[in-house]
Amino acid sequence: MIIISRYGDSLGYYSSLFRIPIELIEVANRNLQGVLQEGNYVNIPGFILQKELRDDLDLVAISIHYHLPMDALLLVNQSEKGPFSVPVRIMAPLLNPQKFYDYQSLLDDLETLTVHYPFIQVESIGKSVLGKELLEVSIGQGEKVIHYNGSFHANEWITSAILMKWLNELLLAFTNDDCICGKACLPFFQEMTISMVPMVNPDGVDLVLKGEAAAEGHTDVLEMNNRNPAFYAWKANIRGVDLNNQYPAKWEIEKQRKVPQSPAPRDFPGEACLSEPEAIAMKELAERRNFARVLALHTQGKEFYWGYEGLEPEQSAETAKEFEEKSGYRAVQYVDSHAGYKDWFIQKFKKEGYTIELGKGINPLPLSHFPSIYRESVPILMAALYM
């Protein structure tokens, strides 16, 4: 919510008036030109404007009803023309990600959140094969960066929806000084930065959800799919490369033993490691942002993998124990697998990396599983912040 003020007060004044943590207001206003100077534009996150159409407005009654001081109502409306505008605190989620969550859904939801919570930052980290922007969301002020990603695999698109629901809940908790899983959330904003790439493989996700037309004629996905027009089993990117088999952590082993040995709906590691733009973008992001911990969300199995060839740090065992206890998911230290994003991250940085297999069943997991998957996964997502 952007207001225009005649007052020359500090941002602390608006923090007190609207009862929004000053850190959020400071970040929300950082990119506004001439804040509190030329025109006095002030961005108040976590509020929306509700138009009151009555002529006989009782400002005292409105102030009491919306739990805001009269000064806040007058401040918002001093430059308004037409109907009186009432600032209303956002108290419920703005998003409904429990749906077939394609790339456009992600774009629409990120636009909604950035308008109402302008202290979040959304940046492109690269482009997919078909030119879709690969988007990273970052929130927070601390140097310690915790990273989450979803939809490395196309038919695991529900992981993107889970991350976006959690993101919305976090933003609500920040602006309302609330808790999730018994943990106060505002300190996380103050002490660290949360990085999130909700959809690593947007081309593949759209192929699974929309069919052959989503390939835009770029590749013969129908031929790769054995002429089957249903792409529900497709895990790869649009060129038939498994993005989670693309990383230089003994990639050669996976290349030799994987079947098939050519582009396919799943499991093909590519003709070379890091051949795909999506995989490269995620590698460069990790190198640039110096993540302290990485969580890659996949489906399915209700378990998670937390080690790689003994290269994981000692802290990983303690974090894994917390994940297991809070979620009921089974902790697995080692599996006979290489070339994954988590594998490469542990190998290169000797830091904590986790592959979380959400839910249980046959991919893609049905939307009816969404509430239970979210319930089980949030304790893991939160534990990654406080461990």
Side-chain angles (χ1 to χ4, degrees), residues 7-278:
Y7 302 116
D9 301 281
S10 68
L11 293 180
Y13 166 77
Y14 300 97
S15 173
S16 175
L17 192 64
F18 289 95
R19 299 192 297 279
I20 290 289
I22 189 169
E23 299 93 334
L24 306 182
I25 295 181
E26 287 172 343
V27 176
N29 284 276
R30 192 168 289 160
N31 296 324
L32 280 181
Q33 298 298 316
V35 173
L36 301 178
Q37 295 174 14
E38 299 175 9
N40 293 334
Y41 292 90
V42 185
N43 209 332
I44 310 295
F47 275 82
I48 57 175
L49 290 177
Q50 178 172 307
K51 297 289 186 181
E52 290 285 342
L53 302 179
R54 294 180 292 110
D55 294 329
D56 57 337
L57 291 173
D58 184 337
L59 297 187
V60 174
I62 291 175
S63 175
I64 293 172
H65 179 73
Y66 289 107
H67 307 287
L68 282 174
M70 284 273 294
D71 288 354
L73 297 176
L74 296 172
L75 178 65
V76 168
N77 287 280
Q78 63 181 321
S79 61
E80 283 284 319
K81 296 179 181 178
F84 197 86
S85 298
V86 179
V88 180
R89 181 181 290 271
I90 300 171
M91 300 291 290
L94 296 171
L95 307 184
N96 179 25
Q98 187 175 338
K99 58 187 175 183
F100 295 111
Y101 206 83
D102 61 5
Y103 182 64
Q104 189 61 51
S105 298
L106 176 68
L107 296 181
D108 293 344
D109 284 353
L110 286 176
E111 181 179 7
T112 296
L113 293 181
T114 52
V115 166
H116 294 97
Y117 301 100
F119 53 84
I120 72 174
Q121 189 168 357
V122 180
E123 294 183 358
S124 174
I125 62 168
K127 292 186 177 182
S128 69
V129 171
L130 295 181
K132 296 183 176 74
E133 301 287 351
L134 306 177
L135 299 172
E136 182 205 22
V137 183
S138 55
I139 324 162
Q141 298 179 303
E143 292 185 4
K144 181 180 181 180
V145 185
I146 310 298
H147 173 75
Y148 305 80
N149 60 65
S151 292
F152 254 97
H153 288 148
N155 65 350
E156 299 172 11
W157 51 263
I158 201 169
T159 56
S160 298
I162 292 292
L163 281 175
M164 290 301 292
K165 180 173 175 61
W166 182 57
L167 174 61
N168 196 173
E169 298 284 357
L170 272 177
L171 298 175
L172 267 177
F174 290 153
T175 52
N176 292 289
D177 199 9
D178 209 346
C179 299
I180 298 177
C181 295
K183 298 291 182 180
C185 290
L186 187 59
F188 297 131
F189 182 90
Q190 298 163 331
E191 298 165 9
M192 63 186 60
T193 296
I194 299 167
S195 162
M196 188 182 297
V197 178
M199 192 175 289
V200 176
N201 184 7
D203 298 346
V205 168
D206 279 357
L207 178 66
V208 170
L209 293 174
K210 296 180 176 181
E212 183 186 6
E216 301 175 8
H218 187 277
T219 49
D220 192 348
V221 291
L222 194 59
E223 184 65 29
M224 272 191 273
N225 206 41
N226 294 319
R227 312 304 297 176
N228 184 349
F231 291 87
Y232 58 84
W234 191 283
K235 295 177 65 176
N237 76 346
I238 207 70
R239 287 203 290 226
V241 176
D242 188 323
L243 296 178
N244 205 40
N245 273 295
Q246 268 276 286
Y247 292 91
K250 297 193 173 180
W251 174 87
E252 297 80 7
I253 293 176
E254 297 301 307
K255 173 61 175 173
Q256 183 177 12
R257 70 182 179 180
K258 282 289 187 183
V259 177
Q261 289 286 309
S262 60
R266 56 176 294 159
D267 298 334
F268 176 59
E271 295 297 346
C273 68
L274 296 171
S275 63
E276 303 308 295
E278 301 93 341

